[in-house]
């Protein structure tokens, strides 16, 4: 259970010397901060920077803090941030259970891990799906597996990059409810980038217009 | 795991060293003997005597002329046919068929293709049998000198047939880079015919992208050994073949002349490249007005006719040559002008089976080891690009082509001179490393596009789930790229199987592979046995490609997205 606050202190991202985006913000545990704006404004770049994947040609200054730790000093794999893209990006060479196990921290016997996967699948209404090929799942099922894979990695904060934009309208509401319920329950500070106002309203948190 | 990243970052250095060092050392090793210095052979004074001996060699001018003519003619024919083939077939249904034929044809070893072509076109070959006696009236094999004509036409033809698949494949890789599809659509919407649209709208942008492969074709064609031994004239032979003969001469003094000859070959190849480069200048000067003249349909029908004729003819001749090999391997008594040998017999296969073991096993072990080294270095270089976050620079790209841009006979001979000087034993390890040198450029060219194009979000997702760089590489990137990696391996293996000169020179003549055996047999008289060896030489790469195509289908039969290929 995370209780740390995610703080972006005077983040400035420049592209080839031109300032692109400036943000200072603080996200409390369980709170969703929404960054809204048209495409090309640099909101996805900001998210990539927080996750540790600033693209080539961009430079960033400022501090990214989670509780007391400075994330900027850590390589991406040690930041423990749950990253969700608009595509579920389930690894096509692994089965559904393998995708979930990939997210779980190492340790435990094979049986324990298998049981943990089974519980997690049950949790998202996909009991018995462990050996399925991800390519055979429906869009909504894939989105739920992707969410669960991120949660099983025990993230300390969530980063959502337009996570609902490729879902059908009906599914979209359902996924929003699921994601935000988990975020609130686990007390995860969450940064969401979107251009859909309904996402921001469903999140119920503060909104920064870029 | 920082040690993984450190190790990966050394891969480009190791790869570049593997490519540069042998070439530079080899060239250095050939300079001193050319001027008389080679203590191991008793040469302890600097002298120009060996150059004088070289200059006095009968037929030297003919040798140089042959190298230049066959090299430039085959490069020009290759380029012309590839350009017209693309112009005629790009974005048509037939193009899919041509594309599918490419990899198998590319995998045919040079020696096997040359042997097949020789058996097809020789006076008593399949081609003259098919038209005799009903059309030609020949009851005995006609009296013409082909292959082995003194002009080198057979040699140029053989080189052209084998280089077309290579250049076509390189062009296909370059087409998306110059947005060929959009250019073609734009030009055709403006009323340009298919041929004019390609030649005026796409080719000027495509040419700079295939210049290096084209130079590699010229270098290969001016200095090739095994095709020239099979299809070229023998008195005098092209320069490179003469150099290899001098090198194998029992009179050790000839080694010095061979070194001088190797440097001369370097100059001849450089001369061919210079002539081509001047031609480029001239054509771009002359074409400037033609590009802007606004004619949209001129020569359209002629271009299409030549384009489809030459394309299908090239494919047809190659296929007929290979089919002819099968017939010869099964022939017993086969008098002219019968077109079909009867009865068929397995005698040649049984005869071959006794001596086949050693060459077969050394071909396979050398091929697998060289390919494994090349694949590890290729993957290391490409993964290092990810960590350094920039692709290889232009200089590194050029170095990658280095073994293909320097005549083999020049620097391999230098390496042999070093072997003699330092007392290194020739044999399996030396041959294997020599093969790896020529395999590496091909595995890299084959894999680079797929590796670089893989969606970066895959590794971002994996890393954000806590996977270390080593785990991302081993558990995500490698498995997802199984298919292109196996194809690159098959390409590399095919390249190794086809190598002739590195095996002969670095193996000290003691190591035999299917290729060296096939080339040796081809100069003898036994067509049946030669055909069997050529077919074995052909079968190995074919098996490699078949495995590369089918294994991923078996492995991933329960993973639909892995089969559809959109994992890059």
């Amino acid at each position: 259970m995370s209780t740390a606050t995610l703080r972006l202190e005077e983040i400035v991202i420049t592209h080839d010397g031109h300032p692109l985006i400036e943000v200072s913000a603080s996200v409390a545990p369980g709170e969703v901060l929404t960054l809204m704006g048209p495409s090309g404004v640099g909101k996805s770049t900001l998210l990539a920077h927080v996750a540790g994947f600033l693209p080539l040609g961009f430079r960033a200054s400022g501090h990214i803090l989670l509780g007391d730790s400075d994330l900027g000093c850590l390589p991406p794999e040690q930041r423990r941030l749950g990253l969700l893209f608009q595509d579920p990006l389930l690894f096509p060479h692994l089965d559904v259970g393998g995708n979930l196990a990939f997210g779980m921290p190492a340790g435990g016997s094979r049986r324990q891990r298998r049981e943990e996967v089974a519980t997690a699948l049950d949790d998202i209404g996909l009991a018995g799906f462990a050996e399925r090929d991800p390519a055979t799942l429906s869009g909504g099922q894939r989105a739920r597996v992707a969410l669960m894979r991120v949660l099983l990695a025990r993230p300390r904060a969530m980063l959502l990059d337009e996570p609902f934009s490729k879902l059908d309208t009906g599914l979209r509401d359902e996924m929003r409810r699921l994601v935000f319920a988990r975020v609130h329950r686990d007390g995860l500070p969450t940064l969401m980038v979107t251009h859909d106002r309904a996402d921001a309203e469903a999140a119920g948190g503060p909104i920064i217009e870029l | 795991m920082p040690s993984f990243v450190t190790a990966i970052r050394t891969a480009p250095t190791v790869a570049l060293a593997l490519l540069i060092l042998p070439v530079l050392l080899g060239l250095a090793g050939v300079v001193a003997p050319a001027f008389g210095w080679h203590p191991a052979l008793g040469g302890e004074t600097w002298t120009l005597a060996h150059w004088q001996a070289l200059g006095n060699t009968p037929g030297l001018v003919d040798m140089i002329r042959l190298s230049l003519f066959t090299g430039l003619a085959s490069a020009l024919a290759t380029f012309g046919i590839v350009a017209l083939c693309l112009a005629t077939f790009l974005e048509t249904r037939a193009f899919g068929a041509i594309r599918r034929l490419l990899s198998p044809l590319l995998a045919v070893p040079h020696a096997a293709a040359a042997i097949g072509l020789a058996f097809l076109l020789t006076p008593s070959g399949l081609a003259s049998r098919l038209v005799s006696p009903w059309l030609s009236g020949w009851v005995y094999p006609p009296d013409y000198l082909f292959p082995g004509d003194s002009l080198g036409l057979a040699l140029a033809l053989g080189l052209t047939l084998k280089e077309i698949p290579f250049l076509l494949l390189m062009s296909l890789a370059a087409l998306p880079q110059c947005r060929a599809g959009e250019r073609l659509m734009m030009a055709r919407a403006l009323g340009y015919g298919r041929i004019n649209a390609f030649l005026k709208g796409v080719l000027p942008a495509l040419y700079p992208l295939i210049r290096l492969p084209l130079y590699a074709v010229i270098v290969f064609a001016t200095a090739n050994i095994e095709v020239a031994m099979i299809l070229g004239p023998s008195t005098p032979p092209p320069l490179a073949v003469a150099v290899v003969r001098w090198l194998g001469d029992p009179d050790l003094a000839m080694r010095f002349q061979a070194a001088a000859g190797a440097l001369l070959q370097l100059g001849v190849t450089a001369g061919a490249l210079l002539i081509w480069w001047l031609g480029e200048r001239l054509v771009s000067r002359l074409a400037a007005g033609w590009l802007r003249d606004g004619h949209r349909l001129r020569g359209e029908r002629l271009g299409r006719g030549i384009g489809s004729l030459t394309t299908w003819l090239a494919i047809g001749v190659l296929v007929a040559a290979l089919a002819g090999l099968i017939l010869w391997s099964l022939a017993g008594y086969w008098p002219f002008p019968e077109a079909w040998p009867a009865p068929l017999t397995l005698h040649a296969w049984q005869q071959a089976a006794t001596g086949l073991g050693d060459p077969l096993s050394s071909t396979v072990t050398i091929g697998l080891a060289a390919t494994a080294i090349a694949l590890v270095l290729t993957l290391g270089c490409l993964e290092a690009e990810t960590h350094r976050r920039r692709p290889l620079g232009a200089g590194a790209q050029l170095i990658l082509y280095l073994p293909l841009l320097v005549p083999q006979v020049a620097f391999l001979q230098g390496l042999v001179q070093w072997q003699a000087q330092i007392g290194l034993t020739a044999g399996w390890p030396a041959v294997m490393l020599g093969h790896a040198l020529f395999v590496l450029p091909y595995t890299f060219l084959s894999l680079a596009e797929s590796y670089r194009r893989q969606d970066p979000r895959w590794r971002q997702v994996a890393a954000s789930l806590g996977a270390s760089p080593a785990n991302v590489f081993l558990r995500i990137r490698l498995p997802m790229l199984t298919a292109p990696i196996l194809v690159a391996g098959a390409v590399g293996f095919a390249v190794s199987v086809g190598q002739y000169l590195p095996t002969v020179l670095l193996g000290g003549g003691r190591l035999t592979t299917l290729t060296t055996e096939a080339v040796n047999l081809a100069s003898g008289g036994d067509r049946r046995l030669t055909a069997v060896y050529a077919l074995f030489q052909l079968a190995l790469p074919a098996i490699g490609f078949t495995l590369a195509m089918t294994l991923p289908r078996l492995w991933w039969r329960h993973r639909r997205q892995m089969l559809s290929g959109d994992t890059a």
Side-chain angles (χ1 to χ4, degrees):
Chain A
M1 206 71 18
S2 169
T3 49
T5 297
L6 177 66
R7 277 179 294 151
L8 308 183
E9 290 186 347
E10 293 171 8
I11 305 277
V12 179
I13 298 181
T14 57
H15 184 231
D16 292 335
H18 305 288
L20 184 71
I21 189 171
E22 290 187 41
V23 175
S24 286
S26 175
V27 194
E31 183 181 60
V32 181
L33 171 66
T34 304
L35 298 169
M36 284 208 55
S39 53
V41 77
K43 46 192 200 311
S44 286
T45 309
L46 175 70
L47 216 60
H49 172 52
V50 176
F53 305 113
L54 193 65
L56 211 59
F58 292 89
R59 286 182 169 278
S61 60
H63 292 282
I64 309 163
L65 302 167
L66 188 62
D68 301 328
S69 72
D70 187 345
L71 292 185
C73 310
L74 294 175
E77 68 270 19
Q78 287 169 28
R79 296 191 182 191
R80 291 181 54 204
L81 303 174
L83 186 58
L84 275 184
F85 291 103
Q86 52 184 326
D87 295 306
L89 296 173
L90 299 181
F91 299 125
H93 61 295
L94 300 175
D95 59 19
V96 170
N99 267 282
L100 292 182
F102 191 94
M104 285 157 47
S109 70
R110 269 169 190 242
R111 218 180 109 207
Q112 281 169 339
R113 289 177 76 80
R114 226 178 12 243
E115 279 166 8
E116 208 173 327
V117 165
T119 318
L121 281 172
D122 200 22
D123 196 9
I124 49 173
L126 293 174
F129 273 58
E131 281 166 27
R132 285 279 290 273
D133 177 0
T136 63
L137 302 190
S138 72
Q141 290 169 333
R142 281 182 220 180
R144 276 180 279 162
V145 176
L147 171 67
M148 188 43 84
R149 180 175 66 176
V150 162
L151 293 175
L152 285 175
R154 311 220 183 102
R156 300 183 291 173
M158 292 286 274
L159 303 174
L160 313 178
D161 191 353
E162 312 242 6
F164 313 115
S165 64
K166 279 201 178 166
L167 296 172
D168 296 335
T169 334
L171 276 174
R172 204 177 287 177
D173 283 335
E174 186 194 322
M175 268 316 282
R176 280 192 193 118
R177 274 198 297 279
L178 188 60
V179 171
F180 296 134
R182 294 297 168 137
V183 164
H184 295 314
R185 193 191 76 184
D186 295 353
L188 295 169
T190 298
L191 205 55
M192 176 167 70
V193 153
T194 184
H195 58 253
D196 185 349
R197 188 153 295 276
D199 285 350
E201 283 159 7
I207 299 174
I208 295 180
E209 301 264 3
L210 294 168
Chain B
M1 202 195 289
S3 60
F4 169 78
V5 177
T6 321
I8 279 292
R9 285 192 176 213
T10 61
T13 319
V14 176
L16 293 185
L18 177 70
L19 292 167
I20 297 175
L21 284 180
V23 177
L24 289 187
L25 279 178
L27 287 179
V30 88
V31 172
F35 294 95
W37 181 260
H38 197 320
L41 294 179
E44 300 196 340
T45 45
W46 297 93
T47 167
L48 287 175
H50 307 297
W51 287 94
Q52 282 158 2
L54 178 67
N56 292 332
T57 308
L60 185 70
V61 176
D62 283 329
M63 295 178 186
I64 296 173
R65 184 187 51 75
L66 264 172
S67 294
L68 279 178
F69 170 74
T70 53
L72 287 172
S74 64
L76 190 62
T78 302
F79 175 65
I81 292 175
V82 166
L84 278 179
C85 167
L86 289 172
T88 310
F89 292 112
L90 203 59
E91 319 234 310
T92 65
R93 193 173 297 185
F95 199 63
I98 294 172
R99 215 181 174 130
R100 272 191 296 280
L101 278 169
L102 257 188
S103 291
L105 289 184
L106 189 66
V108 176
H110 284 90
I115 291 170
L117 190 67
F119 288 4
L120 181 69
L121 297 180
T122 193
S124 60
L126 198 56
S128 79
R129 283 165 190 263
L130 283 173
V131 295
S132 299
W134 58 275
L135 181 65
S136 64
W138 294 329
V139 185
Y140 299 103
D143 187 22
Y144 59 78
L145 186 58
F146 199 94
D149 60 295
S150 57
L151 261 181
L153 288 176
L155 174 54
L157 177 67
L159 290 168
T160 306
L161 284 181
K162 256 313 281 171
E163 295 305 346
I164 289 172
F166 170 72
L167 194 63
L168 202 50
L169 200 71
M170 291 294 150
S171 308
L172 286 181
L175 282 173
Q177 275 184 63
C178 62
R179 296 164 158 254
E182 292 166 38
R183 284 165 176 268
L184 208 59
M185 228 186 314
M186 177 63 77
R188 299 205 65 189
L190 290 170
Y192 283 79
R194 182 182 285 289
I195 302 284
N196 279 279
F198 181 83
L199 294 183
K200 290 182 171 178
V202 179
L203 194 58
L206 178 66
Y207 188 80
L209 299 176
I210 57 167
R211 184 181 274 130
L212 268 184
L214 198 50
Y215 286 3
V217 166
I218 296 172
V219 172
F220 180 85
T222 50
N224 174 266
I225 307 294
E226 66 267 33
V227 182
M229 283 172 71
I230 297 164
L231 294 175
S234 53
T235 46
L239 182 60
V241 176
V243 171
V244 174
R245 278 193 202 158
W246 297 333
L247 204 53
D249 199 288
D251 177 6
L252 287 182
M254 291 300 278
R255 291 260 196 120
F256 293 97
Q257 186 176 325
L263 287 184
L264 180 61
Q265 175 67 58
L266 202 62
V268 169
T269 298
L273 287 173
L274 182 70
I275 294 173
W276 186 274
W277 181 79
L278 289 173
E280 275 178 17
R281 302 268 113 164
L282 189 69
V283 170
S284 74
R285 205 43 89 70
L286 293 178
W290 171 75
L291 285 174
R292 292 166 180 76
D293 68 6
H295 285 289
R296 287 151 159 77
L297 297 167
R298 204 177 258 179
E300 189 68 24
R301 217 185 267 179
L302 184 70
R304 277 194 212 197
I306 297 178
S308 44
L309 184 73
T310 50
T311 303
W312 294 120
L313 200 63
I315 293 174
V317 168
L318 256 182
V319 171
L322 301 181
L325 283 179
I326 298 177
L327 281 187
W328 274 110
S329 78
L330 294 171
Y333 178 59
W334 191 6
F336 191 86
E338 302 292 321
W340 186 262
L344 298 178
T345 163
L346 285 173
H347 181 73
W349 290 87
Q350 285 156 354
Q351 191 190 346
T354 52
L356 205 60
D358 277 349
L360 186 63
S361 71
S362 52
T363 307
V364 172
T365 53
I366 289 170
L368 289 179
T371 305
I373 290 180
L375 268 185
V376 167
L377 287 175
T378 298
L379 287 167
C381 284
L382 289 168
E383 181 67 9
E385 284 187 356
T386 312
H387 290 282
R388 290 165 60 229
R389 316 216 315 168
R390 60 191 151 90
L392 285 179
Q397 296 272 15
L398 194 66
I399 290 169
L400 211 53
Y401 268 99
L402 194 60
L404 309 183
L405 291 177
V406 180
Q408 285 193 350
V409 69
F411 71 93
L412 286 177
Q413 188 196 146
L415 290 179
V416 175
Q417 311 271 25
W418 281 107
Q419 274 182 337
Q421 187 66 46
I422 307 171
L424 281 177
T425 43
W428 195 93
V431 173
M432 193 274 290
L433 285 175
H435 280 212
L437 174 68
F438 295 103
V439 169
L440 183 55
Y442 286 96
T443 50
F444 192 94
L445 291 172
S446 166
L447 192 55
E449 267 300 296
S450 324
Y451 206 90
R452 288 173 181 157
R453 268 209 336 251
Q454 195 182 38
D455 191 336
R457 291 180 308 167
W458 290 116
R459 55 174 195 272
Q460 294 178 0
V461 166
S464 73
L465 290 171
S468 65
N471 267 331
V472 174
F473 177 66
L474 293 173
R475 292 174 60 192
I476 302 300
R477 300 204 81 178
L478 288 193
M480 284 182 66
L481 291 167
T482 317
I485 290 172
L486 284 178
V487 169
V491 170
F493 185 67
V495 169
S496 167
V497 169
Q499 292 297 322
Y500 174 75
L501 200 58
T503 318
V504 172
L505 290 187
L506 299 174
R510 288 191 295 277
L511 198 85
T512 58
T513 61
L514 291 175
T515 300
T516 62
E517 288 294 274
V519 173
N520 285 344
L521 284 168
S523 60
D526 193 341
R527 284 200 194 154
R528 292 156 184 81
L529 199 57
T530 311
V532 173
Y533 270 86
L535 285 173
F536 264 100
Q537 199 206 358
L538 197 88
L540 283 183
I543 293 171
F545 274 98
T546 312
L547 288 178
M549 302 289 174
T550 48
L551 282 184
R553 290 183 185 282
L554 280 177
W555 273 332
W556 305 122
R557 65 187 180 281
H558 299 306
R559 299 282 175 269
R560 223 166 55 196
Q561 203 187 338
M562 292 297 294
L563 295 182
S564 65
D566 59 349
T567 59

